[in-house]
Amino acid sequence: MDIKQLFYFLTIVEEGQITRAAKILHMAQPPLSQSLKALEKELGSTLIIRNAKKLELTQAGKVLYQRAVHLLNLMEETKSEIQELGEGVRGTLSIGAASACMSYIPGRIQQLREAYPELYFKIYQGDTYHLEELLENRDIEVAVARLPVESQHFQIKRLPKEPFVVVVPAKWQTNFSSNRIELKDIAPYPILMLKRIKGTSMFESLFQECYEAGFKPNVIAECPDVSTVIALVTAGVGITIIPKSEFHMAYNNHLSILELCSKTSLQSEPVVMWRNDHYISKAAEKFIETF
């Protein structure tokens, strides 16, 4: 068993068909099928059940797939680490950012671009749960997200806490007596909530705070993407509550920002996180240092 065989096997699994995998690998189908058969013969186990419509992994195939992903990632990391010893900060840096943390990214990328012009960036966006998956799979090296974080495999650098603010359509601002309001003042309004695809978030905390303030929030929609939520508020669908740093000047003509009074404990806790059990590139280290 060698690296090439593992790479071929990985491609077959991920493409779901030998024909499609052969096309991706720029090779004929028969040699690829022979490579798979040779691998199965060497291991003494059937790895893939060849059904008419799609390929299915056996239990042995699932184990080998997990090991193959780990070994090929380790090989790439080793290659990058050795190259960086002589070449400095270059290559590709894959960063993840929660949709409510995008304000932390542009200035830092510009800072790194000026210092390391040969650096290339890949930027992934999603809620914290999705970013955790990307880190686990090593699709990204580092992420900026918001607590809570579920996994124990991550190193976390906490950033300063920041308040949540209420964002309303500009034409609704006259409904409020000032720009500083009590949480109970949002009770009559439909609320558009930022909510993770999976796991706990400020959604649950907001409900608790509202109940303690004596009302049930009128949540009419939930979404993991802050830009979508903002677009809905701009259209007058409802109001929302977001971290203060995510309200940008570009919204000023269409939206108004209202501060929550100090009686609420709602605060956003942003973090930078990366895997604590794997090598990270110099580029990722430099990005983390910007915080």
Side-chain angles (χ1 to χ4, degrees), residues 65-270:
Y65 176 76
Q66 293 172 350
R67 297 293 189 273
V69 169
H70 174 74
L71 288 169
L72 290 170
N73 280 336
L74 184 60
M75 182 178 174
E76 284 301 312
E77 289 175 1
T78 303
K79 180 180 176 182
S80 297
E81 185 173 1
I82 297 302
Q83 288 177 336
E84 283 184 347
L85 291 174
E87 297 177 352
V89 180
R90 59 188 305 170
T92 299
L93 174 59
S94 296
I95 302 169
S99 65
C101 290
M102 285 304 297
S103 60
Y104 291 93
I105 302 301
R108 288 176 167 83
I109 287 182
Q110 180 60 20
Q111 181 180 336
L112 292 176
R113 282 280 303 132
E114 291 174 357
Y116 312 106
E118 294 187 50
L119 195 55
Y120 182 83
F121 297 87
K122 286 185 179 180
I123 303 168
Y124 296 76
Q125 192 173 0
D127 66 4
T128 299
Y129 172 76
H130 179 57
L131 297 179
E132 286 185 77
E133 285 191 322
L134 294 177
L135 282 170
E136 289 283 4
N137 296 332
R138 288 192 266 180
D139 294 316
I140 60 176
E141 282 195 88
V142 60
V144 186
R146 296 188 185 272
L147 293 180
V149 173
E150 304 293 334
S151 177
Q152 303 299 312
H153 298 154
F154 302 143
Q155 182 79 24
I156 290 176
K157 182 180 181 68
R158 291 175 181 263
L159 305 180
K161 294 181 181 179
E162 60 174 308
F164 282 96
V165 293
V166 179
V167 180
V168 304
K171 60 185 179 182
W172 293 10
Q173 186 175 11
T174 54
N175 297 352
F176 300 89
S177 58
S178 74
N179 289 335
R180 189 169 177 79
I181 64 172
E182 301 280 348
L183 187 61
K184 62 182 176 60
D185 294 333
I186 71 172
Y189 299 94
I191 301 173
L192 306 156
M193 278 295 299
L194 280 175
K195 189 175 189 300
R196 296 182 186 180
I197 296 172
K198 188 175 180 181
T200 57
S201 64
M202 64 90 54
F203 184 90
E204 292 77 19
S205 299
L206 174 64
F207 262 80
Q208 184 60 37
E209 291 269 349
C210 291
Y211 286 133
E212 290 176 3
F215 71 97
K216 179 181 178 181
N218 179 25
V219 176
I220 64 165
E222 60 185 58
C223 177
D225 179 55
V226 70
S227 60
T228 301
V229 170
I230 289 293
L232 291 168
V233 177
T234 302
V237 176
I239 68 175
T240 192
I241 300 177
I242 62 173
K244 188 173 183 178
S245 63
E246 297 310 307
F247 185 84
H248 309 301
M249 296 304 293
Y251 299 145
N252 272 4
N253 293 333
H254 309 286
L255 302 170
S256 293
I257 182 172
L258 307 175
E259 304 273 353
L260 286 168
C261 75
S262 57
K263 291 181 181 178
T264 177
S265 62
L266 281 176
Q267 283 191 312
S268 172
E269 298 184 78

Side-chain angles (χ1 to χ4, degrees), residues 8 12 16-37 50-52 55:
Y8 286 172
I12 291 170
Q17 289 181 351
I18 292 179
T19 303
R20 198 153 55 214
K23 189 176 294 186
I24 292 292
L25 293 167
H26 303 292
M27 63 186 295
Q29 183 176 334
L32 186 56
S33 297
Q34 290 167 10
S35 174
L36 177 58
K37 289 178 182 177
R50 299 156 180 80
N51 292 328
L55 302 178

